Amino acid sequence: MSYPIVALREVTSLITKGTTPKTLGRSYMASGTPFLRGEDVRGWAVEPERASLFIDRETNELLRRSVILPGDILITIAGTVGRVGFVPEGSQPMNCNQAVALARIDRSRIDPEFACLALQSPSVRTAIKAQGTTATITNLSLQQVGGFALPLPPLDEQRRLVGLLSGAKGLKRLAEEAQAKAIELIPALFVDMFGDPSVNPKGWPTFELKALVHFASGGTPSKGEPAFWDGAIPWVSAKDMKADPLTTSQDSLTDAAIERGGAKLVPVGSCVVVVRGMILAHTVPIRQTSVPLVINQDLKALIPGDKIDGCYLRWALQCLHHRLLSRVTTAGHGTKKLDLEELTELQMPLPPSALQQAFAERAREVTSIQRLSEQAASAAERTSDALMSRLFAA
């Protein structure tokens, strides 16, 4: 059945965006009014208790243009654009930064949950692509947001459609929560078995990292040699360091890059650490390889020796993340770097090999749970997308 189509601005009294407290000389607080960023908008109900930033009452008043109220719709307009959320009834007032637009809808015409779903429909996704946006760093204007076209069934029909779709959304959220809990289990398991490696409470013998691993540098084969590129060998750079373990990359190499281009394979079970790049301002990405691959010059590979298990090494480094981050410096041209000397001299507790291997086996079990959760989340998302395509046909 077809319904009238309206622009978002036709069913809203306000479309605006936030700003950062720093523009007013204000700072974030340890508690207070939740201050939302793009990552706090996840596709359904906004959860203020998950916010990690807060502002005080006075700052919230200064930023009153972007005060968020129950029933508002939030849309990410910078970074990863097009993520949508709605603010449930009973939520406390919130605020947001410039990466988030808020739309105050006319609830006599459109239900907030329906609006949230309609803004994730295939037609709106197509509109975002048509306006030249992508899923990476980009922007949407408030004018573009206001122009998004939505179907407008009667309110009773809107609520019926919400009931059909919210079940699939709920399954996806449950699967994602299970996945997040599985990810948190491995560091907790590590500390339970070995203690915090930064203080080594169980008194394991310690060694400098260079005594336990071989450090391997990366590089970039000639871009002017087409025979080196678009093969089956992953060529990992910092942008690929989100996957865990490392199995694929955006760019890839051929055997010729290994044979003639100077590229060197990093073996399975090695750890890879980002040692140069602006991401080091807040995070030192650490991953383990599960396939042979090549790394670029912004990364270092730590290839375990006989005394240390690769899985133990990966999670020990993760538990020492705060110490690694404290050793990041700024190069002369402004980029961040983790000096090799700082990394090689890092003190590493070394439990007995049998205990390391027992941890690795338990970590693999948790990883299996994580993968099942990922599969469940993907299946729920496919179900949701199929329903969305049927109910909001472009």
Side-chain angles (χ1 to χ4, degrees):
M1 181 176 180
S2 61
Y3 302 111
I5 302 297
V6 297
L8 180 61
R9 65 173 66 91
E10 296 178 54
V11 290
T12 59
S13 61
L14 173 71
I15 299 177
T16 187
K17 65 179 180 178
T19 188
T20 59
K22 292 180 180 179
T23 61
L24 302 175
R26 312 291 293 189
S27 300
Y28 295 115
M29 310 298 291
S31 61
T33 300
F35 190 81
L36 305 184
R37 299 173 293 174
E39 51 263 47
D40 298 310
V41 182
R42 297 182 173 91
W44 195 234
V46 175
E47 300 171 279
E49 63 272 15
R50 288 194 174 191
S52 58
L53 297 179
F54 302 89
I55 55 176
D56 61 24
R57 183 179 299 178
E58 184 179 351
T59 304
N60 193 47
E61 175 61 23
L62 290 171
L63 299 176
R64 56 185 172 274
R65 180 191 71 177
S66 52
V67 169
I68 299 166
L69 302 176
D72 285 349
I73 301 298
L74 305 183
I75 306 163
T76 58
I77 58 173
T80 302
V81 300
R83 286 204 305 259
V84 184
F86 73 92
V87 183
E89 286 298 322
S91 295
Q92 66 186 103
M94 295 173 274
N95 217 301
C96 61
N97 72 3
Q98 67 275 15
V100 179
L102 74 89
R104 187 149 298 146
I105 61 172
D106 178 354
R107 295 167 71 179
S108 69
R109 300 185 66 192
I110 189 165
D111 179 85
E113 294 181 37
F114 177 82
C116 180
L117 291 169
L119 286 165
Q120 298 174 75
S121 66
S123 60
V124 174
R125 291 179 185 175
T126 300
I128 291 174
K129 291 179 181 177
Q131 289 162 4
T133 63
T134 68
T136 56
I137 297 174
T138 186
N139 293 277
L140 285 173
S141 70
L142 295 180
Q143 183 177 4
Q144 289 171 323
V145 170
F148 288 153
L150 310 178
L152 193 66
L155 279 170
D156 287 348
E157 178 66 4
Q158 292 179 35
R159 290 165 185 145
R160 185 186 73 83
L161 295 174
V162 167
L164 288 173
L165 283 161
S166 60
K169 289 280 185 183
L171 286 173
K172 181 186 176 186
R173 287 196 304 278
L174 287 172
E176 288 174 341
E177 287 171 6
Q179 180 183 348
K181 290 184 183 300
I183 293 170
E184 294 169 0
L185 274 176
I186 298 180
L189 175 62
F190 184 98
V191 172
D192 180 64
M193 291 183 68
F194 306 114
D196 181 347
S198 64
V199 295
N200 192 20
K202 300 195 177 185
W204 308 115
T206 61
F207 297 84
E208 289 187 338
L209 198 51
K210 63 187 176 185
L212 301 172
V213 306
H214 168 69
F215 287 86
S217 300
T220 302
S222 173
K223 295 279 190 176
E225 180 51 76
F228 292 166
W229 296 92
D230 298 324
I233 302 168
W235 181 69
V236 175
S237 61
K239 65 179 179 289
D240 303 305
M241 291 285 286
K242 295 176 183 178
D244 193 11
L246 294 173
T247 57
T248 61
S249 61
Q250 293 184 29
D251 301 299
S252 59
L253 302 176
T254 64
D255 289 337
I258 307 296
E259 296 163 1
R260 299 187 283 111
K264 293 180 173 57
L265 283 172
V266 175
V268 173
S270 302
C271 288
V272 176
V273 180
V274 176
V275 294
R276 185 172 62 184
M278 292 310 297
I279 194 172
L280 295 176
H282 55 82
T283 305
V284 181
I286 304 160
R287 295 293 185 265
Q288 190 174 18
T289 64
S290 62
V291 297
L293 50 78
V294 177
I295 59 175
N296 82 349
Q297 58 274 12
D298 294 336
L299 314 180
K300 289 289 182 185
L302 283 61
I303 303 170
D306 295 337
K307 295 180 180 179
I308 191 165
D309 178 84
C311 183
Y312 171 84
L313 171 64
R314 185 257 184 272
W315 290 103
L317 289 171
Q318 192 68 53
C319 290
L320 289 166
H321 177 267
H322 62 287
R323 183 166 292 181
L324 292 173
L325 191 60
S326 71
R327 299 183 180 189
V328 170
T329 59
T330 303
H333 51 283
T335 194
K336 300 295 183 180
K337 64 175 183 175
L338 178 60
D339 287 330
L340 182 59
E341 184 177 353
E342 295 283 358
L343 194 56
T344 61
E345 294 179 355
L346 186 71
Q347 291 291 322
M348 179 67 63
L350 194 68
S353 179
L355 197 57
Q356 293 182 47
Q357 292 169 11
F359 166 76
E361 181 58 34
R362 294 177 68 181
R364 280 191 287 270
E365 293 171 359
V366 174
T367 300
S368 296
I369 296 171
Q370 179 185 342
R371 288 174 180 162
L372 288 173
S373 299
E374 289 174 353
Q375 292 168 7
S378 296
E381 185 168 18
R382 288 193 297 271
T383 300
S384 177
D385 287 347
L387 283 170
M388 291 279 282
S389 295
R390 289 174 59 189
L391 297 175
F392 297 104

